[in-house]
Amino acid sequence: QAQLVESGGGLVQPGGSLRLSCLVSRAIFRLLPVAWYRQAPGNQREFVTRIDTDGRPSYTDSVKDRFTISRDNAKNTVYLQMNSLKPEDTAVYYCNSIPNTGSWGQGTQVTVSS
């Protein structure tokens, strides 16, 4: 059974918004920070944002003031609200714990294009 499952991607125009969801197993959600990563074609997977168990977030510079990470303790879910999307945000988005579980899910595709 997958410990983290991503959903919510899609096709959006530049300047648009999407909200991604990461359903996390209860054990991981309670004990570990969760992060979002992304991988664009031809690029390595890169860190985007993380949220600690106390709710404290941190972001890579390229998404600050545009993306917001949050967690719903009742649903064991971490969200990534993405606003003012740019074509360079196009990638497959993954979530994982920190440290990671040793495996990666299928991710969710985000495509920003007119």
Side-chain angles (χ1 to χ4, degrees):
Q1 184 175 357
Q3 295 177 294
L4 301 102
V5 179
E6 307 94 344
S7 63
L11 172 64
V12 63
Q13 292 186 344
S17 299
L18 279 175
R19 189 178 79 158
L20 306 183
S21 299
C22 175
L23 180 61
V24 185
S25 70
R26 184 178 180 184
I28 289 176
F29 192 85
R30 290 177 60 235
L31 298 175
L32 297 176
V34 174
W36 284 97
Y37 302 82
R38 65 187 180 187
Q39 186 168 18
N43 291 356
Q44 292 187 336
R45 186 178 293 129
E46 65 173 0
F47 168 83
V48 177
T49 179
R50 65 177 278 173
I51 189 164
D52 292 344
T53 54
D54 62 1
R56 182 176 55 185
S58 62
Y59 302 91
T60 193
D61 286 347
S62 63
V63 307
K64 281 181 181 177
D65 301 323
R66 298 190 299 122
F67 290 11
T68 302
I69 191 171
S70 62
R71 51 189 285 145
D72 185 330
N73 293 335
K75 297 182 178 180
N76 292 345
T77 300
V78 172
Y79 299 104
L80 180 60
Q81 178 67 43
M82 306 186 295
N83 299 329
S84 302
L85 282 161
K86 304 176 181 180
E88 51 263 44
D89 295 317
T90 295
V92 179
Y93 284 70
Y94 302 88
C95 60
N96 213 323
S97 58
I98 299 175
N100 70 55
T101 63
S103 64
W104 295 84
Q106 293 185 338
T108 186
Q109 175 71 49
V110 172
T111 303
V112 185
S113 175
S114 55

